[in-house]
Amino acid sequence: MSILIKPIITEKATTDSELRNCYTFAVNTKANKVEIKKAVEATYGVSVEKVRTINVRPDRRTRYTKTGIQHGKTNAVKKAIVQLAEGEMIDLYANM
C-alpha cells in the first residue's frame, strides 16, 4: 500500500510551504496520521512535527444533454498537511 500518492502544488499550498513550513500531499484514503508521518520522514529525510488530514468529499454533477440527464461524480480524496520541524524543508521541484 503506497501511502503518499503525490504532492499537491497549488497557490495556497505553495504559500503555506513558504510561510508556515507546511507541505500538502494527496494520500491513500485508508492511511492514518502515524503512517503518513513515517512515510514523509522515510521518503524525504525530514522530521515531521504535526500531521493534519482532510477527507474531501466527491463532487456530484448533473448535466442536461440531448440524450437525457447524465449523473456523475469525482473521486473522494484524502489530503495531508504536514508541518516540518524548524529549519527543515522539502524541495518538491528537484526531480522535475
Side-chain angles (χ1 to χ4, degrees):
M1 174 171 97
S2 177
I3 305 290
L4 298 176
I5 297 173
K6 64 180 180 179
I8 296 175
I9 301 172
T10 59
E11 190 172 343
K12 184 176 180 178
T14 305
T15 304
D16 234 9
S17 66
E18 291 171 355
L19 299 179
R20 296 182 190 87
N21 208 18
C22 295
Y23 296 87
T24 307
F25 296 93
V27 296
N28 190 326
T29 54
K30 297 185 184 207
N32 60 30
K33 292 182 180 186
V34 176
E35 293 172 340
I36 294 167
K37 179 179 178 177
K38 288 179 183 177
V40 170
E41 287 177 345
T43 305
Y44 295 103
V46 294
S47 58
V48 175
E49 282 188 355
K50 188 192 299 187
V51 177
R52 293 175 288 162
T53 58
I54 304 165
N55 284 311
V56 181
R57 65 175 171 76
D59 288 333
R60 298 184 186 278
R61 293 187 180 147
T62 303
R63 293 186 191 95
Y64 299 96
T65 63
K66 278 196 254 182
T67 58
I69 299 174
Q70 302 290 320
H71 298 284
K73 71 178 184 83
T74 60
N75 292 330
V77 180
K78 187 172 192 175
K79 295 180 188 179
I81 300 172
V82 178
Q83 183 172 3
L84 302 182
E86 190 67 33
E88 305 245 353
M89 67 179 287
I90 298 173
D91 188 11
L92 298 175
Y93 302 104
N95 295 334
M96 288 186 169

